[in-house]
């Protein structure tokens, strides 16, 4: 059994999480294999929604540019984002109540890396921390944190650098 499938099975057994049924919708993007596999078995999960740091892995249809999600097209900031590398960062997880978002990079040279896209610092050089090398690591760490903290803010978190490095 693959690591992603094992994780989903573990999450399904956890009464504090919700695993959404798979969807036949297609993903019209090139995404990492582990993320594609995740969406074969589920259409998103809610990890510890009743805990202080609960978070949702978004369903397929919400896998959109994080910029598009955070800044509506009529927003003044949108003009500044044309041809910006952050346009290839896609929303993979969110906690709207805490303004916490996580992006997955779909550019060729950083394909699959996951970034802290906190609303106030999304896309800012030096403030876009790499929080996971791939989706599997992200899902593992979010699940292991049990909704009690953001794992990348813990003192023992290994610094993986900034998205702009």
């Amino acid at each position: 059994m693959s690591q992603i499938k094992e994780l989903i099975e573990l999450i399904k057994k956890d009464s504090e999480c919700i695993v959404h049924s798979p969807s036949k919708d297609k993903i019209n993007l090139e995404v990492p294999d582990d993320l594609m596999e995740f969406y074969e078995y589920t259409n998103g999960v809610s990890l510890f929604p009743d805990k202080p740091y609960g978070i949702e892995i978004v369903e397929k249809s919400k896998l959109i540019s994080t910029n598009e999600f955070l800044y509506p097209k009529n927003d003044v900031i949108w003009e500044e984002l044309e041809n910006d590398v952050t346009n290839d960062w896609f929303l993979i997880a969110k906690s709207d109540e805490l303004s916490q978002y996580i992006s997955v990079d779909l550019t060729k040279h950083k394909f699959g890396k996951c970034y802290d896209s906190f609303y106030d610092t999304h896309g800012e050089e030096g403030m876009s921390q790499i929080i996971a090398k791939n989706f599997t690591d992200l899902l593992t760490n979010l699940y292991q944190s049990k909704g009690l903290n953001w794992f990348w803010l813990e003192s023992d978190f290994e610094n993986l650098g900034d998205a702009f490095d």
Side-chain angles (χ1 to χ4, degrees):
M1 188 181 307
S2 73
Q3 191 173 359
I4 283 290
K5 182 139 174 80
E6 286 179 20
L7 271 168
I8 292 168
E9 292 302 317
L10 184 64
I11 295 168
K12 277 183 181 178
K13 292 176 186 171
D14 193 317
S15 63
E16 294 187 272
C17 298
I18 302 164
V19 176
H20 303 287
S21 299
S23 164
K24 294 187 191 284
D25 294 341
K26 299 286 183 209
I27 297 176
N28 296 321
L29 301 165
E30 184 178 338
V31 298
D33 292 342
D34 58 349
L35 185 55
M36 185 63 81
E37 183 182 2
F38 172 81
Y39 285 123
E40 286 175 23
Y41 298 114
T42 181
N43 194 29
V45 298
S46 295
L47 298 171
F48 311 100
D50 296 327
K51 297 289 183 180
Y53 294 90
I55 195 160
E56 170 189 352
I57 305 296
V58 300
E59 61 190 64
K60 287 181 194 177
S61 66
K62 299 220 170 113
L63 187 63
I64 61 171
S65 164
T66 307
N67 289 342
E68 189 178 328
F69 178 81
L70 293 177
Y71 314 114
K73 291 253 184 191
N74 60 353
D75 194 317
V76 174
I77 198 168
W78 191 255
E79 290 175 20
E80 298 173 23
L81 295 173
E82 283 190 44
N83 301 317
D84 193 279
V85 68
T86 60
N87 288 326
D88 291 320
W89 299 1
F90 284 74
L91 182 69
I92 191 61
K94 65 183 187 129
S95 174
D96 291 322
E97 300 80 21
L98 299 174
S99 300
Q100 180 61 60
Y101 305 96
I102 299 173
S103 299
V104 60
D105 192 330
L106 298 183
T107 61
K108 289 184 181 178
H109 64 287
K110 295 190 177 181
F111 195 63
K113 291 187 188 238
C114 299
Y115 308 139
D116 178 358
S117 284
F118 181 68
Y119 182 79
D120 291 340
T121 58
H122 167 72
E124 288 186 33
E125 192 168 347
M127 302 292 285
S128 297
Q129 182 179 11
I130 301 169
I131 62 172
K133 296 176 186 174
N134 55 54
F135 178 72
T136 303
D137 288 349
L138 176 69
L139 184 58
T140 299
N141 287 321
L142 286 172
Y143 180 70
Q144 288 176 346
S145 69
K146 303 289 186 198
L148 300 176
N149 58 32
W150 298 132
F151 67 87
W152 60 93
L153 298 178
E154 292 298 309
S155 60
D156 62 346
F157 179 73
E158 176 189 346
N159 183 356
L160 301 173
D162 186 78
F164 292 91
D165 291 344

